[in-house]
Amino acid sequence: MASPTRADRPQVPEGYGVPEHTDGLVEWSTVEARLVEARHYWLATVRADGRPHVVPRWGVWLDGALHYDGSPDTVHARNAEGNAACTLTIGEGADAVIVEGHSRRSAPVVGELGARIAAAIGDKYGDDGYHPEPDAWSDAEAGGLRIITPTKAMAWFSFPGDLTRFHF
């Protein structure tokens, strides 16, 4: 799915110490590895009245997108149906990955993709009793599986020297 078309430095106010050169930019492969490894993701969506809503989510980063499930009746899913724009974050301490993108309900997921998603979820969350079947998302009308595809991302692991913005 998504891979960045370019990486650069974001414009930030003076005084943050962000280099003006591109030496030391974070590689997307490093960021993507962190997205794959993350156990908890924070998802921000926008309510119909414009108020933000933030919720922790389980999910798996696979093929350049986050695949996550949950009831279509949850606040974040209802928000995304009305306004697909969202922000996904991970990080600990001084590390940060911020992904801006769009959340959409998945088409039916069957076959090899369903098996890959189910296996990745089971590997990551199986100790918590979460083992979906490969055909768990075969009925898109029942909802459940959503996909966040990135439009822009920022990451740093040694701020400010490696602050990097990715465009998709």
Side-chain angles (χ1 to χ4, degrees), residues 24-36:
L25 292 177
V26 176
E27 295 289 330
W28 176 249
S29 60
T30 302
V31 175
E32 194 163 45
R34 298 278 180 108
L35 288 163
V36 168

Side-chain angles (χ1 to χ4, degrees), residues 50-69:
R51 292 180 300 137
H53 174 72
V54 178
V55 63
R57 297 296 314 145
W58 282 357
V60 292
W61 189 269
L62 190 65
D63 299 337
L66 184 78
H67 301 261
Y68 67 105
D69 65 1

Side-chain angles (χ1 to χ4, degrees), residues 78-102:
R78 291 192 324 260
N79 290 348
E81 286 300 310
N83 178 352
C86 64
T87 301
L88 177 74
T89 64
I90 62 169
E92 208 170 301
D95 293 357
V97 176
I98 304 163
V99 177
E100 294 180 13
H102 297 97

Side-chain angles (χ1 to χ4, degrees), residues 37-129:
E37 294 167 4
R39 183 165 170 77
H40 302 284
Y41 305 85
W42 287 93
L43 173 62
T45 57
V46 181
R47 299 172 196 259
D49 65 4
R51 292 180 300 137
H53 174 72
V54 178
V55 63
R57 297 296 314 145
W58 282 357
V60 292
W61 189 269
L62 190 65
D63 299 337
L66 184 78
H67 301 261
Y68 67 105
D69 65 1
S71 170
D73 296 326
T74 60
V75 173
H76 67 85
R78 291 192 324 260
N79 290 348
E81 286 300 310
N83 178 352
C86 64
T87 301
L88 177 74
T89 64
I90 62 169
E92 208 170 301
D95 293 357
V97 176
I98 304 163
V99 177
E100 294 180 13
H102 297 97
S103 174
R104 64 176 170 76
R105 188 176 348 170
S106 173
V109 176
V110 295
E112 187 259 342
L113 180 58
R116 288 175 56 222
I117 294 171
I121 289 173
D123 288 347
K124 192 181 279 192
Y125 305 109
D127 289 346
D128 294 305

